[in-house]
């Protein structure tokens, strides 16, 4: 049997217990962006970094009847959505809506929305073809 002794706080404040927020920064780095678990090394805007992607799907794109007006087919036939999670320290400044992002040096997406929580960007990307 293994016995683990956990000591919390300091001698001045021995009863101070850690809370969820105390563990989260370490989990972001060591669990979520762990290359053996969730993350994978990919190129974002020409720079290789660990990212996590989520693909909500590919939807038909109503290019010919959009907003009640007839459109040209050169605007696209389908829309591919992608959610990208990347660490702020790896990516840099937060991208604005409409920014073009190149993924893996070959696919271009536009940023629909971006938010920052606990040092991680959640980018909703869209690609129209």
């Amino acid at each position: 049997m293994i016995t683990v002794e956990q000591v919390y706080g300091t001698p001045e404040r021995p009863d101070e217990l850690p809370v969820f927020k105390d563990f989260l920064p370490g989990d972001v780095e060591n669990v979520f962006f762990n290359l053996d678990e969730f993350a994978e090394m990919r190129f974002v805007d020409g720079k290789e970094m660990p990212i996590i992607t989520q693909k909500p799907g590919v939807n038909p794109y109503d290019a010919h009847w959009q907003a009640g007006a007839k459109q040209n087919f050169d605007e696209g036939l389908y829309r591919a959505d992608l959610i990208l999670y990347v660490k702020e320290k790896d990516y840099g400044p937060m991208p604005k809506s409409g920014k073009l992002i190149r993924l893996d040096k070959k696919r271009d997406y536009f940023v629909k929305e971006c938010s920052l929580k606990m040092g991680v960007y959640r980018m909703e990307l869209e690609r129209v073809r």
Side-chain angles (χ1 to χ4, degrees):
M1 179 181 229
I2 298 174
T3 305
V4 177
E5 182 181 332
Q6 294 181 335
V7 180
Y8 299 109
T10 63
E12 297 83 33
R13 299 179 119 189
D15 297 327
E16 193 173 303
L17 299 175
V19 295
F20 179 73
K21 288 182 180 180
D22 296 330
F23 295 104
L24 197 53
D27 287 347
V28 166
E29 188 69 36
N30 301 319
V31 177
F32 298 114
F33 284 94
N34 181 334
L35 295 172
D36 294 326
E37 297 292 336
F38 297 112
E40 56 188 347
M41 292 299 284
R42 308 246 321 250
F43 286 92
V44 179
D45 289 339
K47 182 178 172 188
E48 192 174 32
M49 61 188 73
I51 66 169
I52 301 168
T53 57
Q54 185 179 20
K55 297 177 184 174
V58 175
N59 302 314
Y61 187 68
D62 278 338
H64 61 290
W65 286 107
Q66 187 175 29
K70 193 167 185 175
Q71 304 291 319
N72 293 331
F73 279 102
D74 63 350
E75 290 182 21
L77 299 174
Y78 70 86
R79 184 184 81 225
D81 294 321
L82 181 73
I83 298 175
L84 171 72
Y85 296 93
V86 63
K87 292 183 279 186
E88 176 185 24
K89 69 178 186 174
D90 292 340
Y91 185 81
M94 182 184 287
K96 297 182 189 247
S97 292
K99 180 188 185 299
L100 182 70
I101 288 184
R102 177 159 282 180
L103 190 59
D104 294 329
K105 298 182 178 180
K106 60 184 174 183
R107 289 205 167 89
D108 293 332
Y109 290 87
F110 289 99
V111 176
K112 286 173 35 178
E113 188 176 318
C114 184
S115 60
L116 174 65
K117 290 192 174 117
M118 297 299 295
V120 176
Y121 290 131
R122 180 187 185 275
M123 298 183 203
E124 291 183 33
L125 306 178
E126 178 179 63
R127 182 172 183 237
V128 177
R129 291 221 28 193

